[in-house]
Tab-separated table of all heavy atoms in Angstrom:
chain	number	residue	atom	x	y	z
A	27	LEU	N	-20.122	26.664	12.025
A	27	LEU	CA	-19.015	27.170	12.704
A	27	LEU	C	-18.883	28.760	12.421
A	27	LEU	O	-18.956	29.134	11.250
A	27	LEU	CB	-17.642	26.450	12.374
A	27	LEU	CG	-16.442	27.096	12.932
A	27	LEU	CD1	-16.317	26.611	14.456
A	27	LEU	CD2	-15.255	26.675	12.231
A	28	ASP	N	-18.869	29.623	13.494
A	28	ASP	CA	-18.662	30.958	13.135
A	28	ASP	C	-17.444	31.561	13.845
A	28	ASP	O	-17.075	31.068	14.960
A	28	ASP	CB	-19.957	31.847	13.480
A	28	ASP	CG	-19.932	32.220	14.974
A	28	ASP	OD1	-20.183	31.193	15.784
A	28	ASP	OD2	-19.639	33.238	15.388
A	29	VAL	N	-16.719	32.306	13.016
A	29	VAL	CA	-15.348	32.794	13.547
A	29	VAL	C	-15.425	34.208	13.435
A	29	VAL	O	-15.866	34.878	12.518
A	29	VAL	CB	-14.215	32.171	12.879
A	29	VAL	CG1	-12.923	32.800	13.211
A	29	VAL	CG2	-14.218	30.677	12.947
A	30	GLU	N	-15.092	34.913	14.630
A	30	GLU	CA	-15.042	36.504	14.622
A	30	GLU	C	-13.672	36.939	14.224
A	30	GLU	O	-12.654	36.299	14.303
A	30	GLU	CB	-15.372	36.907	16.042
A	30	GLU	CG	-16.876	36.657	16.310
A	30	GLU	CD	-17.173	36.856	17.841
A	30	GLU	OE1	-16.251	37.317	18.527
A	30	GLU	OE2	-18.368	36.562	18.183
A	31	GLU	N	-13.741	38.250	13.786
A	31	GLU	CA	-12.490	38.884	13.302
A	31	GLU	C	-11.635	39.016	14.448
A	31	GLU	O	-11.979	39.274	15.621
A	31	GLU	CB	-12.901	40.302	12.751
A	31	GLU	CG	-12.592	40.364	11.347
A	31	GLU	CD	-13.112	41.661	10.694
A	31	GLU	OE1	-12.876	42.705	11.361
A	31	GLU	OE2	-13.670	41.572	9.682
A	32	ASN	N	-10.298	38.732	14.156
A	32	ASN	CA	-9.379	39.101	15.281
A	32	ASN	C	-9.484	38.253	16.504
A	32	ASN	O	-9.234	38.680	17.626
A	32	ASN	CB	-9.562	40.509	15.602
A	32	ASN	CG	-8.208	41.271	15.642
A	32	ASN	OD1	-7.216	40.729	15.643
A	32	ASN	ND2	-8.229	42.660	15.498
A	33	GLU	N	-9.746	37.047	16.340
A	33	GLU	CA	-9.727	36.095	17.523
A	33	GLU	C	-8.961	34.847	17.314
A	33	GLU	O	-8.566	34.542	16.153
A	33	GLU	CB	-11.202	35.731	17.955
A	33	GLU	CG	-11.900	34.684	16.959
A	33	GLU	CD	-13.102	34.093	17.461
A	33	GLU	OE1	-13.349	34.147	18.745
A	33	GLU	OE2	-13.855	33.481	16.719
A	34	ILE	N	-8.572	34.246	18.423
A	34	ILE	CA	-7.965	32.860	18.198
A	34	ILE	C	-9.159	31.806	18.583
A	34	ILE	O	-9.652	31.934	19.795
A	34	ILE	CB	-6.838	32.585	19.209
A	34	ILE	CG1	-5.695	33.575	18.898
A	34	ILE	CG2	-6.417	31.135	19.049
A	34	ILE	CD1	-4.386	33.352	19.741
A	35	HIS	N	-9.620	31.263	17.493
A	35	HIS	CA	-10.740	30.317	17.826
A	35	HIS	C	-10.183	28.860	17.794
A	35	HIS	O	-9.696	28.402	16.711
A	35	HIS	CB	-11.730	30.496	16.595
A	35	HIS	CG	-13.043	29.872	16.875
A	35	HIS	ND1	-14.068	30.552	17.024
A	35	HIS	CD2	-13.402	28.644	16.761
A	35	HIS	CE1	-15.225	29.801	17.192
A	35	HIS	NE2	-14.696	28.460	17.024
A	36	ALA	N	-10.339	28.139	18.915
A	36	ALA	CA	-9.873	26.821	18.924
A	36	ALA	C	-10.816	25.864	18.495
A	36	ALA	O	-12.098	25.954	18.693
A	36	ALA	CB	-9.430	26.463	20.444
A	37	LEU	N	-10.540	24.777	17.778
A	37	LEU	CA	-11.422	23.766	17.363
A	37	LEU	C	-10.929	22.544	18.008
A	37	LEU	O	-9.822	21.984	17.746
A	37	LEU	CB	-11.172	23.694	15.809
A	37	LEU	CG	-12.335	22.939	14.991
A	37	LEU	CD1	-13.679	23.594	15.363
A	37	LEU	CD2	-12.058	22.959	13.543
A	38	LEU	N	-11.710	22.088	19.024
A	38	LEU	CA	-11.305	21.045	19.974
A	38	LEU	C	-11.948	19.750	19.660
A	38	LEU	O	-13.191	19.818	19.369
A	38	LEU	CB	-11.517	21.544	21.315
A	38	LEU	CG	-11.160	20.651	22.571
A	38	LEU	CD1	-9.581	20.581	22.623
A	38	LEU	CD2	-11.701	21.089	23.892
A	39	GLY	N	-11.434	18.650	19.638
A	39	GLY	CA	-12.041	17.351	19.480
A	39	GLY	C	-11.194	16.214	19.375
A	39	GLY	O	-9.965	16.427	19.201
A	40	GLU	N	-11.721	15.044	19.621
A	40	GLU	CA	-10.914	13.788	19.490
A	40	GLU	C	-10.537	13.606	17.983
A	40	GLU	O	-11.101	14.131	17.190
A	40	GLU	CB	-11.650	12.577	20.018
A	40	GLU	CG	-11.839	12.451	21.455
A	40	GLU	CD	-12.350	11.140	21.838
A	40	GLU	OE1	-13.637	10.950	21.662
A	40	GLU	OE2	-11.596	10.370	22.266
A	41	ASN	N	-9.372	12.640	17.873
A	41	ASN	CA	-9.188	12.356	16.457
A	41	ASN	C	-10.315	11.702	15.783
A	41	ASN	O	-11.050	10.828	16.366
A	41	ASN	CB	-8.023	11.302	16.512
A	41	ASN	CG	-6.730	12.066	16.708
A	41	ASN	OD1	-6.553	12.626	17.605
A	41	ASN	ND2	-5.901	12.028	15.652
A	42	GLY	N	-10.577	12.032	14.656
A	42	GLY	CA	-11.641	11.514	13.896
A	42	GLY	C	-12.965	12.267	14.005
A	42	GLY	O	-14.033	11.841	13.656
A	43	ALA	N	-13.016	13.320	14.869
A	43	ALA	CA	-14.103	14.048	15.175
A	43	ALA	C	-14.520	14.942	13.926
A	43	ALA	O	-15.678	15.412	13.966
A	43	ALA	CB	-14.028	14.901	16.389
A	44	GLY	N	-13.736	15.132	13.034
A	44	GLY	CA	-14.059	15.878	11.795
A	44	GLY	C	-13.443	17.295	11.673
A	44	GLY	O	-13.722	18.153	10.876
A	45	LYS	N	-12.433	17.519	12.544
A	45	LYS	CA	-11.742	18.929	12.698
A	45	LYS	C	-11.038	19.135	11.319
A	45	LYS	O	-11.189	20.252	10.605
A	45	LYS	CB	-10.810	18.961	13.711
A	45	LYS	CG	-11.399	18.902	15.147
A	45	LYS	CD	-10.332	18.726	16.221
A	45	LYS	CE	-9.599	17.420	15.926
A	45	LYS	NZ	-8.732	16.972	16.945
A	46	THR	N	-10.170	18.284	10.935
A	46	THR	CA	-9.269	18.455	9.803
A	46	THR	C	-10.070	18.522	8.458
A	46	THR	O	-9.860	19.419	7.607
A	46	THR	CB	-8.156	17.357	9.773
A	46	THR	OG1	-7.547	17.329	10.836
A	46	THR	CG2	-7.259	17.533	8.630
A	47	VAL	N	-11.179	17.767	8.381
A	47	VAL	CA	-12.014	17.666	7.181
A	47	VAL	C	-12.608	19.087	7.100
A	47	VAL	O	-12.634	19.664	6.007
A	47	VAL	CB	-13.087	16.640	7.329
A	47	VAL	CG1	-14.145	16.884	6.263
A	47	VAL	CG2	-12.467	15.257	7.183
A	48	LEU	N	-13.189	19.616	8.141
A	48	LEU	CA	-13.824	20.916	8.095
A	48	LEU	C	-12.774	22.046	7.634
A	48	LEU	O	-13.246	22.813	6.787
A	48	LEU	CB	-14.318	21.297	9.583
A	48	LEU	CG	-15.278	22.573	9.592
A	48	LEU	CD1	-16.562	22.247	8.796
A	48	LEU	CD2	-15.530	22.867	11.111
Side-chain angles (χ1 to χ4, degrees):
Chain A
L27 177 75
D28 80 288
V29 176
E30 289 166 6
E31 246 168 46
N32 230 339
E33 69 167 345
I34 297 184
H35 193 109
L37 203 52
L38 182 72
E40 286 191 282
N41 279 62
K45 298 167 298 193
T46 303
V47 169
L48 188 66

